[in-house]
């Protein structure tokens, strides 16, 4: 059979079966995804088979990205089960082909003039590079072509949150401007395998550089929605050594950077030549942006807020596919129950309407003193309002006439002042199940502000955290009585999945049950697989895991384990890219040991992870694959 006939048959089988499958590992080119066609319209079922957590019985598995899970695709009576694997595009710190020619450093840092930032503590003054790849998007563009025969051109955008340390071992967290890069990839038409063709660092000088880019999502209009979390506090910026170091590395001047230029939502547009351009949206609230999700109306945006005394924020754009103007809201939590993660009805407080351009102009010209006066002890003055902020109590008085600046540049303080429930702790990734009109948010830790009522929330839950489910509906009004122009507004919330803290650590050192989620962070939902993917950033699991949760069966399956001490990042589930599904997955900061969590494994795993990841200065960017045929149950009923 010719290659063209074989390829046509494979695509026909995929269409007849209802949906594509994951890409094949490079060693399995040509492996058929289905043995035979199924009748048109027959429902397709997906099930992830769980793998056991790695242990010291095989330390190598604990010190790498380890996958021993399976995926079963069922069409009627026909079942195919495949072993899953993992492939990387690169480790950070490697040199890779540049889109503009020559070679470039993956994860490398650049200043405002796009010159490499050098680590002067290194004997050779090497360029800084990140060990913390994070949010990633995979996308296609029309009328683009690969130079390789039998391949199609696709693209990925990947951002790098921070660098853990310099060569001398001193912390570099938040002291460098975050890089973000476009990857041009060749997709094998037969197998779906992705090969890195080029890497292009995005020029961020026009948006004043980027601050701590964490989670990300792909917009419905095919752009990369980035993040800037832990916005620098403009009120106390004069004493912020971290921000001064950031400014020094970015501008060569510790006082040049303006805190109001950071804490916003950047958007990257990819170009056919493998490069990208970027803009920041200043009208979506200056909060600890983690991972936003645009609803199917292409106007409503739910936003994670990875903070202590954080809020559930929503932005409704004036026009579809355009985040440059809209209305910002914060949720008010009307608690119904407290036990087992609690539950609540949700009302919405309107913070204001703005365009990005007008807030950018305010950010350029105002200081904190122009917007708000903050006291850290009770001034005994009725002109001040008591609010929770960053785990502490403050008293605020906003400058008359600066309400718009307050809403969009001092968003946490203003949202609390206006009556929003600023009581969440580390609300991270968000995603949506459009068919059921349910959104999901990761609450990484249930602690402090979520339990003490300081921000209007007082629930009981584990430090292992939980995933919250929000029921979505239309016809809602805000606190002013005005109609919210969206059919995708959260109206109530309750836990979907809850972690479980252990009374005493287990034999490996886990502080929370390793067979349940702990400290969820990244979330992505696959409409086709009816599966919620959950990546961990846990200080309670010895290894962090990537999970698959089927929302219909309620089955939770561990599908990937990160190197011990590393965080699961870069999660992105894409149902169909030229006939293949993809689950993108990175990790960051391998061997970031915590005590007592890693006390039993550190001595064994430290040399392994150091050897695997360039002295632990590097981390992986990659994706899951089909590694082989695990089982063929062609005539068995799926009971």
């Amino acid at each position: 059979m010719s290659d063209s006939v074989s390829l046509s048959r494979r695509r026909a089988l995929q269409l007849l079966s209802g949906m594509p499958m994951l890409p094949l590992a490079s060693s399995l080119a040509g492996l058929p995804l289905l043995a035979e066609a199924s009748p048109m319209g027959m429902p397709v079922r997906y099930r992830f088979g769980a793998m056991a957590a790695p242990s010291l019985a095989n330390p190598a598995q604990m010190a790498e990205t380890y996958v021993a899970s399976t995926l079963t695709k069922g069409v009627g009576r026909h079942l195919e089960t495949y072993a899953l694997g993992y492939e990387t595009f690169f480790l950070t710190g490697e040199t890779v082909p540049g889109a503009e020619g020559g070679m470039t450093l993956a994860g490398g840092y650049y200043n405002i003039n796009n010159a490499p930032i050098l680590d002067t503590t290194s004997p050779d003054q090497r360029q800084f590079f990140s060990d913390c790849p994070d949010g990633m998007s995979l996308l296609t563009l029309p009328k683009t072509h690969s130079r390789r025969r039998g391949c199609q051109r696709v693209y990925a955008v990947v951002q790098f949150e921070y660098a853990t340390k310099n060569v001398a071992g001193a912390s570099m967290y938040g002291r460098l401007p975050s890089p973000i890069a476009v990857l041009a990839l060749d997709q094998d038409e037969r197998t779906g395998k992705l090969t890195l063709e080029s890497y292009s660092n995005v020029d961020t000088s026009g948006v004043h550089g980027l601050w701590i880019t964490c989670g990300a999502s792909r917009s419905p209009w095919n752009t990369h929605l980035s993040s800037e979390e832990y916005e620098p506090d403009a009120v106390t910026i004069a004493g912020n050594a971290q921000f001064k170091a950031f400014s020094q590395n970015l501008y060569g001047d510790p006082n040049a950077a303006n805190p109001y230029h950071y804490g916003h939502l950047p958007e990257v547009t990819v170009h056919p030549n493998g490069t990208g351009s970027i803009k920041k949206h200043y009208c979506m609230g200056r909060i600890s942006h983690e991972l936003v999700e645009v609803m199917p109306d292409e106007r409503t945006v739910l936003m994670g807020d990875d903070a202590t005394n954080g809020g559930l924020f929503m932005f409704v754009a004036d026009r579809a596919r355009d985040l440059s103007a809209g209305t910002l809201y914060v949720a008010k939590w009307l608690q119904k129950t407290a036990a087992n993660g609690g539950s609540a009805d949700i009302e919405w407080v309107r913070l204001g309407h703005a365009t990005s351009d007008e807030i950018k102009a305010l950010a350029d010209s105002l200081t904190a003193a122009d917007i708000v006066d903050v006291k850290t002890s009770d001034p005994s003055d009725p002109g001040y309002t008591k609010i929770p902020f960053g785990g502490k109590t403050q008293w605020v008085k906003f400058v008359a006439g600066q309400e718009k600046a307050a809403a969009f540049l001092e968003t946490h303080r203003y949202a609390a002042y206006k009556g929003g429930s600023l009581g969440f702790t580390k609300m991270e990734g968000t995603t949506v199940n459009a068919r059921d009109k349910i959104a999901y948010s990761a609450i990484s830790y249930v602690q402090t502000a979520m339990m003490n009522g300081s921000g209007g929330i007082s629930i009981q839950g584990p430090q292992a955290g939980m995933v919250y489910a929000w029921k979505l509906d239309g016809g809602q009004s805000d606190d002013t009585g005005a109609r919210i122009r969206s059919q995708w507004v959260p109206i109530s919330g309750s836990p979907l999945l809850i972690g479980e803290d252990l009374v005493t650590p287990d034999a490996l050192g886990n502080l929370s049950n390793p067979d349940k989620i702990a400290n969820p962070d990244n979330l992505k939902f696959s409409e086709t697989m009816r599966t919620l993917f959950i990546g961990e950033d846990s200080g309670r699991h010895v290894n962090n895991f990537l999970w698959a949760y089927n929302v219909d069966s309620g089955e939770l399956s561990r599908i990937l384990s990160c190197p011990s001490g590393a965080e699961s990042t870069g999660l992105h589930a894409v149902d169909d890219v030229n006939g293949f599904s993809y689950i993108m997955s990175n990790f960051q900061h391998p061997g970031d040991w915590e005590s007592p969590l890693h006390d039993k494994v550190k001595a064994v795993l430290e040399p392994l992870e150091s050897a695997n990841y360039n002295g632990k200065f590097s981390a992986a960017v990659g994706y899951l694959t089909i590694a082989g045929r695990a089982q063929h149950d062609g005539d068995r009923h799926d009971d």
Side-chain angles (χ1 to χ4, degrees):
M1 183 182 295
S2 70
D3 286 347
S4 60
V5 173
S6 177
L7 176 59
S8 298
R9 180 176 181 272
R10 180 187 65 76
R11 286 199 170 153
L13 293 179
Q14 289 179 329
L15 292 172
L16 287 170
S17 69
M19 200 56 210
M21 282 283 283
L22 296 180
L24 307 181
S26 57
S27 61
L28 296 171
L31 178 66
L33 299 183
L34 280 176
E36 58 186 8
S38 59
M40 259 308 209
M42 187 167 289
V44 183
R45 305 174 307 282
Y46 297 90
R47 178 182 179 273
F48 284 89
M51 66 183 221
S55 72
L56 287 176
N58 190 336
Q61 295 173 351
M62 297 186 70
E64 64 182 1
T65 301
Y66 170 63
V67 178
S69 51
T70 61
L71 173 62
T72 298
K73 182 178 183 181
V75 183
R77 294 161 55 96
H78 186 99
L79 300 180
E80 290 282 356
T81 298
Y82 297 95
L84 298 182
Y86 182 78
E87 294 206 0
T88 62
F89 298 126
F90 55 78
L91 296 182
T92 59
E94 293 179 344
T95 54
V96 294
E100 297 81 8
M103 303 296 285
T104 191
L105 185 68
Y109 284 88
Y110 300 86
N111 65 19
I112 200 70
N113 299 313
N114 291 305
I117 301 175
L118 304 181
D119 183 352
T120 58
T121 71
S122 170
D124 59 355
Q125 296 200 7
R126 72 184 190 187
Q127 182 181 358
F128 273 111
F129 58 88
S130 177
D131 61 330
C132 294
D134 208 297
M136 184 158 56
S137 298
L138 184 68
L139 54 90
T140 60
L141 297 177
K143 299 180 180 179
T144 57
H145 305 280
S146 169
R147 292 190 293 268
R148 296 186 186 183
R149 184 178 180 182
C151 289
Q152 300 189 68
R153 177 58 50 84
V154 300
Y155 303 87
V157 182
V158 60
Q159 58 198 43
F160 302 89
E161 187 175 1
Y162 61 93
T164 299
K165 60 185 183 295
N166 60 22
V167 169
S171 173
M172 294 302 297
Y173 178 79
R175 288 164 166 79
L176 294 164
S178 294
I180 190 165
V182 174
L183 314 181
L185 305 167
D186 284 333
Q187 180 194 46
D188 189 290
E189 292 179 338
R190 292 183 305 144
T191 68
K193 175 179 168 56
L194 300 175
T195 302
L196 180 66
E197 171 65 18
S198 69
Y199 176 110
S200 177
N201 193 68
V202 176
D203 178 2
T204 64
S205 60
V207 295
H208 310 286
L210 298 178
W211 170 267
I212 310 181
T213 55
C214 194
S217 63
R218 187 184 66 180
S219 74
W221 51 94
N222 219 30
T223 60
H224 175 87
L225 300 179
S226 182
S227 58
E228 291 185 309
E229 69 174 3
Y230 308 128
E231 78 282 10
D233 185 5
V235 171
T236 60
I237 204 66
N240 189 328
Q242 177 196 48
F243 189 71
K244 287 184 180 297
F246 169 86
S247 181
Q248 176 67 44
N249 284 310
L250 178 60
Y251 287 103
D253 179 347
N255 300 307
N258 175 354
Y260 282 140
H261 287 155
Y262 308 99
H264 303 286
L265 191 134
E267 181 176 14
V268 175
T269 299
V270 175
H271 306 300
N273 65 354
T275 65
S277 55
I278 191 168
K279 57 187 173 182
K280 281 187 188 178
H281 297 293
Y282 286 78
C283 55
M284 300 181 69
R286 186 169 168 270
I287 60 175
S288 188
H289 286 288
E290 166 75 18
L291 190 161
V292 308
E293 181 73 18
V294 181
M295 298 296 107
D297 65 355
E298 301 185 348
R299 294 176 55 248
T300 306
V301 187
L302 290 186
M303 297 181 279
D305 184 23
D306 185 6
T308 298
N309 290 117
L312 175 61
F313 290 90
M314 178 176 66
F315 178 79
V316 181
D318 291 350
R319 296 176 296 276
R321 300 189 165 208
D322 182 357
L323 302 179
S324 66
T327 305
L328 181 65
Y329 302 88
V330 65
K332 187 173 182 64
W333 172 275
L334 304 177
Q335 188 161 307
K336 295 190 294 186
T337 63
N340 300 315
S343 63
D345 290 328
I346 300 296
E347 292 181 351
W348 290 91
V349 177
R350 186 182 190 274
L351 299 180
H353 176 277
T355 69
S356 184
D357 286 345
E358 63 184 323
I359 302 305
K360 172 64 163 58
L362 294 174
D364 290 345
S365 60
L366 299 179
T367 67
D370 298 319
I371 302 172
V372 63
D373 185 25
V374 177
K375 306 294 185 186
T376 56
S377 60
D378 190 347
S380 299
D381 182 337
Y384 289 80
T385 300
K386 181 181 177 181
I387 65 164
F389 182 83
K392 299 179 181 179
T393 299
Q394 293 186 348
W395 289 259
V396 297
K397 181 168 65 174
F398 290 95
V399 176
Q402 294 290 0
E403 290 79 11
K404 183 165 287 190
F408 293 93
L409 295 179
E410 287 290 340
T411 307
H412 277 131
R413 290 186 172 99
Y414 191 71
Y417 166 79
K418 292 288 286 184
S421 296
L422 274 292
F424 291 96
T425 51
K426 294 189 69 64
M427 180 186 290
E428 309 225 23
T430 54
T431 192
V432 65
N433 169 352
R435 183 174 121 184
D436 297 335
K437 291 199 80 168
I438 296 173
Y440 306 107
S441 293
I443 309 294
S444 190
Y445 285 80
V446 179
Q447 59 188 9
T448 57
M450 282 197 79
M451 305 176 75
N452 63 22
S454 64
I457 302 173
S458 183
I459 66 168
Q460 301 165 16
Q463 281 199 308
M466 59 190 178
V467 174
Y468 235 72
W470 310 104
K471 182 180 178 182
L472 306 173
D473 206 351
Q476 304 303 302
S477 299
D478 63 30
D479 63 318
T480 71
R483 182 62 58 94
I484 300 174
R485 296 174 56 239
S486 172
Q487 298 298 310
W488 299 87
V489 179
I491 62 170
S492 63
S494 59
L496 176 73
L497 292 167
I498 305 178
E500 179 187 343
D501 296 339
L502 300 176
V503 176
T504 57
D506 67 12
L508 198 62
N510 288 298
L511 304 174
S512 294
N513 188 339
D515 293 324
K516 294 185 178 182
I517 63 166
N519 312 119
D521 190 325
N522 288 202
L523 296 182
K524 290 294 177 183
F525 185 74
S526 166
E527 294 284 348
T528 300
M529 295 184 183
R530 299 285 293 162
T531 296
L532 177 66
F533 296 99
I534 306 160
E536 295 182 338
D537 176 13
S538 180
R540 303 187 64 82
H541 279 172
V542 174
N543 285 79
N544 278 308
F545 306 123
L546 177 61
W547 302 87
Y549 176 77
N550 186 290
V551 297
D552 296 321
S553 69
E555 183 177 20
L556 178 69
S557 304
R558 181 191 293 107
I559 61 173
L560 178 149
S561 175
C562 297
S564 185
E567 171 187 346
S568 174
T569 62
L571 175 60
H572 184 46
V574 193
D575 282 337
D576 188 358
V577 177
N578 300 322
F580 291 93
S581 298
Y582 290 90
I583 303 169
M584 317 301 287
S585 184
N586 307 332
F587 69 80
Q588 61 178 228
H589 55 71
D592 187 9
W593 311 118
E594 297 183 32
S595 182
L597 178 65
H598 296 110
D599 288 354
K600 297 180 181 179
V601 303
K602 179 180 177 180
V604 175
L605 300 184
E606 171 70 21
L608 297 177
E609 296 199 15
S610 184
N612 288 343
Y613 304 113
N614 187 26
K616 302 193 305 182
F617 281 96
S618 297
V621 174
Y623 63 107
L624 275 80
T625 63
I626 288 176
R629 178 80 56 78
Q631 183 179 337
H632 179 198
D633 299 321
D635 298 318
R636 191 185 73 188
H637 285 284
D638 186 14
D639 298 324

